[in-house]
Amino acid sequence: MKRLSIFLWICLFVLTAEAKVSLPQLFQSGMVLQRDKAIPVWGFAEPGERVCVSFKKKDYVTIADAEGRWRVDLPKQKHGGPYTLQVNDITINDVLIGDVWLCSGQSNIDVTIERVYPQYPQEIDTYANDKIRLFRVQTDTDTHGPKKDVKSTKWRTLNKENAWNFSAVGYFLGREMYEKNGIPQGVIVNSVGGSPIQAWLDADTLSQRHPQAYHRLQFFQDDEMMAGMLKANQQTNDRWNHIMNQLDPGLKEGYARQNYDDSQWMVKNQYDNITGEHQYVGSFWARQQLMVDAAHAGKPARLLVGTLFDADYTFVNGQEVGRTYYQYPPRRYTIPAGVLKEGANALTVRFITKGGNPHFIKDKPYKLIFEDGYEIPLSPQWHVHEGARMFNCPQIDVTPNNLPSVLYNAMLYPLAPYSLAGVTWYQGESNTNEGDLYRQMLGELVNGWRQLWKDASLPFVIVQLANFMAPTDQPQDSGWSQVREAQRLAARQIPHTALAVTIDLGEEVDIHPLLKREVAQRIAKGFEKLLWDKKLQLSPEVIASETDGDKIVLTLDQPLRSDGSLQTFEVAAEDGRFMNAEAESRGNRIIIHSPVNHPVAVRYAWKNNPVKANAYGRNALPMSPFQLKLCPRR
């Protein structure tokens, strides 16, 4: 009672003066604090203001500095909760202590539970856990410098509703880590689709080591100019769409109507070139008939139209049931009750493309699903017709999310020094044309973030790019492989860093593969090794190599899953031209039969999509793609 009276007496001065203390968005009811590390609590107030912090029956007092900043470091705590954190007159309830993970990068972190739900419906429907908390940093940018705080957001407990629009990787990582140790988990996600690594680096690093990127940042620090460019782009898009809509006969003649006569249209298989051209800009129409029986007529349904390039407006019997403005999201549209009729129903897709060619993506679901589970597959045959053929839409090259440092300033810097267990970095697709530069910048990012948190051993798990695009059996110079190699080398050379290899979890037709639970499982193994089990083996790694005549022998840090033939190995002579090579595994050794004399380099799975790569450790983790220089046997 005496301790409480003293604390209230101290804080009375603050309240009497009517001074206000504010806290960053991270400090809200439902938050998770990091166990077994000092816990920074910080915020803002009037300069010189006294700030009183109370936690677990202990009080901490500090004074705001000349800039109004203040900070108190709570001592290390064991996991547990819920607790209450009191800061002057601010009460934060339901505070847990456990492990906190930061998941950052671009769109493959962004991919939501809604997107991957068809892969894991029962798991997502039946799982909720109030010991796992989710925190989504809202997208924001700043060209001028670091911000004090992120946009308004809050902590949410993990359940289907709260997770629906949350990162699937973050969701499954929280689950994996909870299942490993049973303690509270906090998952912070601050990713932005399409963002290059430059956007996540601090301006000081850019100015010292990458002046061209830094000068680009400086160029866009004129807010008036920036606003004008963005407004001009919007006006250009609006004008282009207005002219296209005026010219499109499908809007005038009602191509989407149920009873429109499309019998004179061409009939094309959806996986053929439906326009018959290499490049088509403008609108393009596709129609087919869906036959619905009396039992399902008038019932609501779910329409799956796979994935489309690029934008689409989709209609059933003349009523729009959905639209998507770019190529990547799956088309899952709801058909309301009363729209579907008994017999023939017109399904119409209006494609909009500003570059490329309208097309349906392979290996995606195309069907109608009713609430009772009854399904009607869509026909692969469509009646197709040109809409309005257009000119290329003029655009000014400015995307705020892609500018150097802007995401570091607005979405990363304000999170520090919130104590973390580890960081997941899942990015690289936007840098596949600059592999060597990416390797340098990835090291700068890891070191720069550690410096920001003042934690030189902060664990990082780097997620390697998955397989993507059309496979080939021939050697391939690949920007994707260059970035994968940069990621592999970074994880190998930077202390307290691990690599999550996902070369077998991608999709040929989708840059956003759906197997995010499996990605999270591999991230979790990386953290397990870095934090708790140093002897845990991850993906197999080459630890030695030698040449012996026409043979190359690679020694691994572990035996492979089984002995036998291995695929996707290539060997090069001094001319640098790689050729396919036969290879076999024998325990922890790989023997490669060189097709060239005096080989100087060997590489594995060095393709955009090495679907035949089959080197796995006994823990079922795939070996990473790699490229190695060879030294002749002495």
Side-chain angles (χ1 to χ4, degrees):
M1 179 64 72
K2 182 177 180 181
R3 185 199 68 83
L4 180 60
S5 298
I6 295 173
F7 179 73
L8 292 176
W9 178 79
I10 293 172
C11 292
L12 180 62
F13 287 100
V14 176
L15 298 177
T16 303
E18 297 184 354
K20 286 292 183 182
V21 168
S22 64
L23 294 166
Q25 289 292 313
L26 282 163
F27 291 89
Q28 297 186 50
S29 294
M31 68 190 300
V32 181
L33 298 173
Q34 179 61 42
R35 62 172 172 147
D36 300 333
K37 287 185 177 182
I39 301 172
V41 180
W42 77 95
F44 316 99
E46 291 295 322
E49 181 176 348
R50 185 184 297 264
V51 179
C52 314
V53 178
S54 178
F55 186 67
K56 292 178 67 175
K57 299 182 180 181
K58 291 188 177 181
D59 309 326
Y60 310 86
V61 180
T62 190
I63 303 295
D65 66 17
E67 296 181 350
R69 297 176 181 271
W70 59 267
R71 171 174 166 174
V72 165
D73 286 352
L74 306 182
K76 296 178 183 179
Q77 307 284 335
K78 293 188 179 298
H79 68 270
Y83 303 108
T84 296
L85 175 67
Q86 186 78 31
V87 181
N88 282 20
D89 59 344
I90 301 172
T91 302
I92 301 174
N93 297 310
D94 192 22
V95 177
L96 301 180
I97 298 176
D99 286 329
V100 182
W101 313 99
L102 175 62
C103 299
S104 193
Q106 58 180 112
S107 54
N108 268 304
I109 284 283
D110 268 352
V111 168
T112 62
I113 284 295
E114 184 274 336
R115 180 87 70 91
V116 306
Y117 175 76
Q119 299 291 126
Y120 318 101
Q122 185 174 2
E123 288 185 59
I124 294 170
D125 283 340
T126 59
Y127 190 83
N129 190 335
D130 65 0
K131 295 296 191 294
I132 304 176
R133 308 291 172 82
L134 312 175
F135 186 90
R136 183 64 168 99
V137 178
Q138 301 304 308
T139 299
D140 194 13
T141 63
D142 198 299
T143 59
H144 296 286
K147 286 191 170 185
K148 289 184 176 180
D149 201 2
V150 298
K151 282 186 173 180
S152 178
T153 185
K154 63 181 180 180
W155 289 90
R156 302 175 186 272
T157 58
L158 187 150
N159 57 44
K160 180 181 177 181
E161 180 183 5
N162 288 339
W164 196 241
N165 291 312
F166 191 78
S167 162
V169 168
Y171 168 93
F172 284 117
L173 178 61
R175 288 182 56 166
E176 284 293 319
M177 302 313 286
Y178 183 84
E179 290 168 10
K180 283 183 183 295
N181 54 36
I183 71 170
Q185 302 292 316
V187 183
I188 302 169
V189 172
N190 70 334
S191 54
V192 176
S195 58
I197 193 171
Q198 291 88 335
W200 297 96
L201 291 173
D202 65 282
D204 286 343
T205 296
L206 294 179
S207 66
Q208 296 171 18
R209 301 180 183 178
H210 308 285
Q212 187 175 9
Y214 181 68
H215 296 329
R216 187 163 186 258
L217 171 64
Q218 288 181 307
F219 177 81
F220 285 103
Q221 286 176 338
D222 185 321
D223 292 340
E224 184 177 353
M225 180 196 73
M226 186 79 157
M229 295 171 77
L230 294 173
K231 182 178 180 181
N233 273 347
Q234 185 61 55
Q235 291 174 330
T236 299
N237 278 306
D238 292 346
R239 182 66 177 164
W240 190 89
N241 283 306
H242 175 73
I243 293 174
M244 178 183 63
N245 291 340
Q246 282 188 321
L247 297 175
D248 194 337
L251 298 181
K252 299 173 186 176
E253 299 174 21
Y255 286 178
R257 287 186 290 113
Q258 180 183 12
N259 59 355
Y260 180 81
D261 181 6
D262 59 19
S263 60
Q264 299 304 308
W265 290 17
M266 289 188 298
V267 178
K268 289 286 188 78
N269 184 286
Q270 68 183 30
Y271 299 130
D272 292 339
N273 184 340
I274 62 174
T275 68
E277 300 185 15
H278 177 64
Q279 289 279 336
Y280 183 95
V281 177
S283 62
F284 197 85
W285 296 79
R287 283 172 54 93
Q288 68 170 266
Q289 297 293 322
L290 300 175
M291 300 304 296
V292 177
D293 60 23
H296 293 91
K299 300 292 180 62
R302 189 77 161 157
L303 175 65
L304 307 185
V305 200
T307 306
L308 306 174
F309 183 90
D310 187 26
D312 75 284
Y313 293 76
T314 296
F315 306 84
V316 174
N317 293 335
Q319 179 171 326
E320 183 181 331
V321 295
R323 65 176 68 175
T324 304
Y325 295 111
Y326 65 111
Q327 70 183 88
Y328 294 118
R331 274 51 170 185
R332 301 174 187 155
Y333 298 144
T334 299
I335 302 177
V339 173
L340 292 169
K341 316 297 181 185
E342 182 180 358
N345 293 262
L347 168 61
T348 308
V349 176
R350 184 189 185 220
F351 290 89
I352 308 292
T353 58
K354 293 183 177 178
N357 214 14
H359 60 273
F360 297 84
I361 304 298
K362 294 181 179 179
D363 302 326
K364 297 295 181 181
Y366 293 86
K367 55 188 174 181
L368 192 63
I369 306 173
F370 290 90
E371 291 178 343
D372 63 0
Y374 179 70
E375 296 185 1
I376 300 175
L378 304 189
S379 170
Q381 305 300 318
W382 294 76
H383 287 72
V384 299
H385 197 277
E386 182 176 307
R389 189 183 294 263
M390 291 288 290
F391 51 88
N392 290 327
C393 181
Q395 292 283 287
I396 301 173
D397 182 18
V398 52
T399 304
N401 297 342
N402 293 352
L403 297 177
S405 293
V406 295
L407 302 180
Y408 176 94
N409 289 341
M411 297 179 64
L412 189 281
Y413 181 89
L415 303 180
Y418 199 84
S419 192
L420 303 172
V423 177
T424 295
W425 177 251
Y426 192 172
Q427 189 275 340
E429 296 90 342
S430 290
N431 292 95
T432 52
N433 62 341
E434 46 189 4
D436 290 341
L437 180 63
Y438 188 84
R439 178 181 173 185
Q440 178 184 351
M441 287 188 167
L442 184 53
E444 292 164 351
L445 180 137
V446 173
N447 292 329
W449 289 21
R450 285 174 173 171
Q451 290 173 15
L452 178 62
W453 260 267
K454 294 181 172 57
D455 185 350
S457 60
L458 179 64
F460 268 74
V461 174
I462 298 168
V463 183
Q464 194 180 53
L465 294 185
N467 51 308
F468 175 52
M469 293 181 280
T472 178
D473 290 330
Q474 300 305 311
Q476 183 179 52
D477 290 325
S478 164
W480 282 67
S481 295
Q482 293 284 351
V483 168
R484 291 187 192 117
E485 182 72 346
Q487 294 166 328
R488 181 185 76 87
L489 292 172
R492 189 165 184 169
Q493 296 168 359
I494 302 173
H496 312 295
T497 305
L499 184 70
V501 180
T502 65
I503 197 62
D504 58 339
L505 298 180
E507 299 179 30
E508 174 183 342
V509 296
D510 199 337
I511 199 171
H512 303 121
L514 299 180
L515 297 178
K516 297 306 186 195
R517 178 191 64 184
E518 290 75 4
V519 173
Q521 289 170 340
R522 294 181 186 179
I523 295 170
K525 284 184 180 293
F527 283 128
E528 184 177 357
K529 179 178 179 65
L530 293 172
L531 289 166
W532 305 302
D533 185 358
K534 304 299 183 184
K535 295 182 179 180
L536 178 69
Q537 290 185 318
L538 300 178
S539 291
E541 292 188 47
V542 177
I543 57 175
S545 64
E546 63 177 347
T547 59
D548 185 5
D550 65 346
K551 290 183 180 179
I552 302 166
V553 180
L554 306 179
T555 303
L556 308 180
D557 65 346
Q558 59 185 281
L560 293 185
R561 183 168 53 184
S562 59
D563 291 344
S565 176
L566 295 176
Q567 305 295 314
T568 69
F569 277 89
E570 301 166 11
V571 173
E574 290 184 357
D575 62 4
R577 188 169 65 91
F578 280 89
M579 301 178 64
N580 291 334
E582 294 182 357
E584 58 184 312
S585 61
R586 298 177 190 171
N588 71 329
R589 303 174 78 201
I590 296 174
I591 294 88
I592 304 164
H593 303 279
S594 176
V596 301
N597 295 323
H598 309 297
V600 299
V602 60
R603 64 190 189 188
Y604 168 72
W606 197 267
K607 305 175 188 293
N608 293 328
N609 189 2
V611 291
K612 293 183 179 180
N614 63 337
Y616 285 79
R618 290 184 177 174
N619 55 9
L621 293 178
M623 184 164 70
S624 167
F626 65 81
Q627 180 168 291
L628 295 176
K629 292 182 179 180
L630 299 171
C631 296
R633 184 176 183 179
R634 296 184 183 276

